[in-house]
Amino acid sequence: MDTQQVSAPSRAPSAGVVHINIRLTDGYTVISNRLSQHRGLSLLAIGLGTYIQSLPDGWRIGVKALAARFPESEVRIAAALRELEQHGFLRRTRERVGGGRLATRTESYNHPEAAVRGRGRGRPAAPVVPAAARAVPVAAAGPAGGPAPEPVREPEPARVPEPESEPARVPESVRVAVLESEPVRAPLPEPEPEPEPEPVPVPVPAPALVPVPAPGPRLVPTPTAPRKPRVPLPAPQRPTEGLYAAAAGLLAGLHRTAPLFLLSEEDVRGLVPGVAAWLERGARPDAVRAAITDDPPVPLRHPAKLLRHRLATLIPPPPPTAVPVVPLQNCDHCDRAFRSSVPGRCRGCRDARACADAPCPTGA
C-alpha cells in the first residue's frame, strides 16, 4: 500500500508583493489587466484610466474637472488623456448640439481590441434603449375572440369590404367589435386622384455658427525656455555672532506657529544669512516670521525653497543713513558759537589773524 504524500502548506514568497485580499461585496469596479499592466502607458495614465472606468455614466471627466479633483496640473492630466486615447482606452468626438454649439462625447473602453474589431466589421455597439421602448405590445382578445386594436401607427388607406362576402361570413358580434375598435366607413366611389402640386421648397436659413474663440497664449513655459536667474540669498553687511544666533533661533522655532515649516538642520544653516540680513535692517522677529510663513501654497512640497524665495524677494530696504551732526564750539577769541568738530577760532577770527600776519594787498 503506497504511502500518502503529505504536501507542506504554501509559504509566502521571500521577496515581492504579498496580496492580503478580502472578498468585496460592494463599492468595487472590475478593471482589466490590459489597462492596469499596460506596458506603453505611464503610471499617471493608468491611474487616470482606472479612475475613469470606476465612474458612472454621465460623469464629467474634462481636464478642468479632473484638475479640480486631483493635485496634478492640467498639462499632465491632458497628456494622460492623450495617452489613453492613443492606446484606445478613451475616445473623444465632437458633436454638434442645439444652438450651433459643439460638445465633446467621451467613451471609455475596457477592451480596446474588441471595440476596434467591432467597428471594423461595421457593427457598432447597440444603443441603450429604455425599458418602455423595448416592451412589445401583446394583442388582447376582444369581446368575441377577435384581436384588440393595435397601437396607433402610420395611417393606412381604408379597405373596401367585398359586398358579397361581408354579410355571409362576418357575424354580427364580430362586426360590432370591429366597429367599436376601428370604425369602418361606408364604401364610396373613389374619385380619381388629382395631381398634387409640387411643393415649393422653402429656403431654410442656415443655423448661425458661434465663432470658436482662438486659443489664448500658452502660459506654461516650454522645457527649453530660458529661465529667469534666481535671486541670491541676502547676507548681513556686518555679521555678528549674536545676529546669527537670533536668526537660527527664529528658523528653528517656525514650526511652533506654522507646523508646515518644520526645517532640517541643514536647511536652517543655509537660511540663517537671509534672516540675519532682515534683522540687521531693523525688521522685528515676529514681522519676519509672518512675512515668510503666511499664506503658503497648497500643497506645500518644499518649505525650505519657499522660505529662500521669500527671504530673497521680500527683504525690506536698508534704513536710511543718518547724517552726522557737527557740534557747536565757542570761539577762543571772540566767544562766538560756530560749528566745528574741534575747538578753536571761528572763520572770521582766523581770516583776521591771517590778514594781520601777511602784508595787506592794498598797501595800507
Side-chain angles (χ1 to χ4, degrees):
M1 189 172 182
D2 297 338
T3 305
Q4 295 183 354
Q5 297 181 357
V6 179
S7 58
S10 59
R11 295 182 301 173
S14 59
V17 65
V18 177
H19 295 281
I20 309 299
N21 295 331
I22 300 175
R23 182 178 180 83
L24 302 177
T25 58
D26 58 350
Y28 65 92
T29 303
V30 179
I31 303 297
S32 172
N33 287 342
R34 293 177 178 84
L35 173 62
S36 60
Q37 299 182 9
H38 200 281
R39 293 282 185 173
L41 290 175
S42 63
L43 191 59
L44 176 60
I46 293 176
L48 186 57
T50 303
Y51 173 74
I52 291 174
Q53 291 193 9
S54 67
L55 295 177
D57 291 344
W59 202 270
R60 295 185 179 275
I61 58 169
V63 176
K64 294 188 178 296
L66 292 174
R69 169 65 176 81
F70 296 102
E72 282 76 13
S73 63
E74 295 183 6
V75 177
R76 297 187 62 192
I77 290 177
L81 289 176
R82 286 194 296 270
E83 286 187 49
L84 294 173
E85 192 171 6
Q86 180 182 1
H87 289 84
F89 289 96
L90 204 67
R91 184 186 181 191
R92 293 181 290 183
T93 55
R94 303 282 285 178
E95 295 182 355
R96 188 175 298 276
V97 296
R101 295 175 299 174
L102 296 176
T104 302
R105 175 184 175 87
T106 307
E107 299 175 351
S108 176
Y109 298 92
N110 61 349
H111 198 315
E113 295 81 1
V116 169
R117 289 195 299 267
R119 288 198 299 267
R121 297 173 183 174
R123 295 183 301 175
V128 179
V129 181
R134 289 197 303 265
V136 180
V138 180
E150 297 183 353
V152 178
R153 298 182 180 177
E154 297 182 0
E156 299 180 358
R159 298 181 180 179
V160 180
E162 298 179 0
E164 297 180 358
S165 59
E166 182 177 0
R169 297 184 180 179
V170 181
E172 185 65 24
S173 60
V174 176
R175 186 163 57 250
V176 172
V178 173
L179 289 175
E180 292 179 354
S181 61
E182 185 176 354
V184 179
R185 298 179 181 179
L188 297 175
E190 296 182 0
E192 296 182 359
E194 298 180 358
E196 298 181 358
E198 297 182 358
V200 180
V202 179
V204 179
L209 299 179
V210 179
V212 180
R218 182 173 179 176
L219 302 180
V220 180
T222 58
T224 58
R227 296 186 177 181
K228 186 178 179 180
R230 189 168 62 174
V231 181
L233 188 69
Q237 297 292 334
R238 293 181 296 274
T240 59
E241 185 176 353
L243 193 64
Y244 273 70
L250 189 148
L251 290 171
L254 285 180
H255 66 278
R256 297 189 182 95
T257 56
L260 296 178
F261 294 89
L262 180 60
L263 304 177
S264 64
E265 183 178 357
E266 183 179 358
D267 293 336
V268 171
R269 190 181 301 110
L271 296 174
V272 159
V275 179
W278 282 55
L279 297 177
E280 186 187 36
R281 296 190 179 188
R284 298 175 54 185
D286 55 347
V288 177
R289 187 181 300 106
I292 63 178
T293 59
D294 282 356
D295 194 16
V298 179
L300 180 60
R301 294 188 175 91
H302 305 287
K305 291 184 178 180
L306 178 63
L307 294 179
R308 179 186 180 89
H309 173 73
R310 291 185 173 181
L311 288 173
T313 56
L314 304 180
I315 184 170
T321 305
V323 180
V325 180
V326 181
L328 289 174
Q329 305 288 345
N330 290 333
C331 181
D332 296 340
H333 181 69
C334 64
D335 201 25
R336 287 187 301 180
F338 68 98
R339 290 191 178 276
S340 176
S341 58
V342 294
R345 294 188 177 187
C346 62
R347 180 178 297 178
C349 295
R350 290 197 303 268
D351 294 344
R353 184 175 181 179
C355 185
D357 296 343
C360 185
T362 59

